[in-house]
Amino acid sequence: MAPRINYISQLNTFFKIAASIGLTATERALYQALLHKNNALYWSESFTTPASEILGLSGLSQSSMQRARKKLIQVGLITYKNRGSNRAPRYTVPELSDEYVLTILNNTSDNTVNNTAVNTPNNTVTNTSNTLNKQDETKQNETEKELAARAQIQKLYQQKNRPMDSPQNIDRVQSFLEDDVALEVILHAINVSAKDGGHSAGYVVKKLNDWKERGVNSVEDAKSADKAWKSEFKKNNTPYRQKKTDYSQTLYTYYQQELRFSPSLTFEEYVKKKRLNERDKTALEQYINNMEDST
């Protein structure tokens, strides 16, 4: 059995790249139907399903389904194997990891043909076509940039924290990109959290939320915020420290208390009564001698 894919994460990633690779509503419907089927099968590495079931799930006609399937195969979102007229075909739905999505986007960019170009007498492309090309290129570049950033976050998080942590926890950290938190700040939060012993997504998320509240926009801002917080904490939470007490002084205090009740008690009698060991006897004796010398 293949590793279980996170259904929500897979679907979210698909929607992010669908426009960039030019998928139609029909192609999107087919992909979602196949994704749903594989999820129901607990993510088999490959699975078989009759066309009738996929048509029912997607709401497509036979011809529309075949055209959409061809496009999904071309861009690398699925694989398909025809096993003959009497056997259901076999499908594979690869996990949309950051690295795999970048491969899809790069391949799509290399093979995309601009269908909106209009041939003029001079065989030039219209301004509308150029505009559409630029918009598509901008969207794709933004998607590639985000995926590359997410890959960086995942790599550092797994190095500094838990290599086998769940995709959901990693996604919690990556989601700060959507809140316009700078990549450098997120990476810094992972490093700082690991240094402080906070080897969990919860610790990193708390750190990033604290910084957001303090208006942090850069790594330098983050360092200043942490410095200010530590100063604040030290000022308001000074730990209670008992005054350092000399052990000999403690022995002498007890000795003096005993003498109040028994003024005629000699030193040797006190040692015998309290059953002081040799170390305590010597320490007390030296302290008494020092007291006498100082007077």
Side-chain angles (χ1 to χ4, degrees):
M1 182 179 290
R4 186 169 174 80
I5 297 172
N6 183 281
Y7 180 74
I8 300 301
S9 178
Q10 181 91 348
L11 199 57
N12 286 338
T13 303
F14 169 72
F15 282 129
K16 286 180 182 179
I17 67 172
S20 297
I21 59 180
L23 294 185
T24 64
T26 300
E27 291 153 0
R28 297 183 193 200
L30 176 58
Y31 183 82
Q32 290 177 69
L34 292 170
L35 197 64
H36 174 80
K37 176 63 179 178
N38 203 10
N39 183 55
L41 295 171
Y42 297 97
W43 299 103
S44 299
E45 186 171 352
S46 64
F47 61 96
T48 60
T49 183
S52 58
E53 185 174 2
I54 297 303
L55 293 176
L57 288 170
S58 63
L60 302 177
S61 66
Q62 180 73 26
S63 58
S64 295
M65 188 267 284
Q66 289 174 343
R67 287 193 298 270
R69 184 173 62 199
K70 184 177 180 180
K71 177 61 180 289
L72 295 180
I73 294 170
Q74 286 176 346
V75 298
L77 285 171
I78 66 169
T79 64
Y80 167 80
K81 184 178 181 181
N82 189 336
R83 303 199 304 157
S85 57
N86 295 324
R87 303 177 69 188
R90 182 173 293 279
Y91 290 91
T92 301
V93 181
E95 181 182 3
L96 294 180
S97 64
D98 295 337
E99 293 80 4
Y100 189 72
V101 169
L102 285 174
T103 300
I104 290 176
L105 291 173
N106 289 333
N107 290 340
T108 305
S109 175
D110 292 340
N111 298 318
T112 298
V113 178
N114 180 18
N115 294 321
T116 59
V118 178
N119 288 330
T120 64
N122 296 323
N123 294 322
T124 60
V125 180
T126 64
N127 289 333
T128 301
S129 174
N130 287 332
T131 301
L132 289 172
N133 276 335
K134 288 178 181 178
Q135 288 176 346
D136 288 342
E137 185 179 348
T138 300
K139 285 181 182 177
Q140 183 166 324
N141 288 340
E142 288 175 353
T143 304
E144 289 181 0
K145 185 177 179 180
E146 180 185 347
L147 289 169
R150 290 175 70 90
Q152 272 187 268
I153 292 169
Q154 179 176 346
K155 183 178 180 181
L156 184 64
Y157 180 88
Q158 291 176 327
Q159 286 176 348
K160 297 289 185 178
N161 293 285
R162 298 175 179 173
M164 302 304 292
D165 207 351
S166 67
Q168 293 94 327
N169 277 335
I170 297 174
D171 189 63
R172 288 171 65 195
V173 180
Q174 293 170 326
S175 66
F176 280 86
L177 289 170
E178 299 168 15
D179 295 338
D180 296 324
V181 178
L183 171 62
E184 293 75 16
V185 173
I186 298 174
L187 297 177
H188 182 61
I190 295 172
N191 281 320
V192 170
S193 298
K195 186 178 179 182
D196 291 346
H199 299 285
S200 68
Y203 198 99
V204 179
V205 168
K206 184 179 184 305
K207 175 69 70 176
L208 287 167
N209 280 328
D210 287 345
W211 286 348
K212 280 176 66 179
E213 290 177 6
R214 291 173 178 263
V216 168
N217 294 311
S218 66
V219 173
E220 288 305 315
D221 288 347
K223 290 178 179 178
S224 298
D226 279 353
K227 187 176 181 181
W229 180 86
K230 287 177 182 177
S231 177
E232 242 175 75
F233 182 84
K234 188 175 181 181
K235 181 180 178 181
N236 299 327
N237 299 275
T238 303
Y240 174 74
R241 290 189 182 94
Q242 290 184 328
K243 293 181 179 180
K244 185 177 179 181
T245 304
D246 192 325
Y247 181 63
S248 300
Q249 184 180 354
T250 302
L251 292 172
Y252 181 73
T253 300
Y254 291 140
Y255 176 55
Q256 289 296 308
Q257 289 173 352
E258 190 70 26
L259 289 178
R260 289 195 191 100
F261 296 103
S262 306
S264 61
L265 187 70
T266 66
F267 178 77
E268 292 299 333
E269 288 172 338
Y270 174 77
V271 171
K272 186 176 180 180
K273 181 180 179 180
K274 295 299 182 181
R275 298 179 181 178
L276 297 184
N277 58 36
E278 194 62 33
R279 184 198 66 170
D280 290 351
K281 176 186 175 182
T282 303
L284 177 57
E285 192 171 22
Q286 287 178 348
Y287 191 85
I288 293 172
N289 292 334
N290 290 335
M291 290 284 291
E292 292 174 351
D293 291 343
S294 63
T295 58

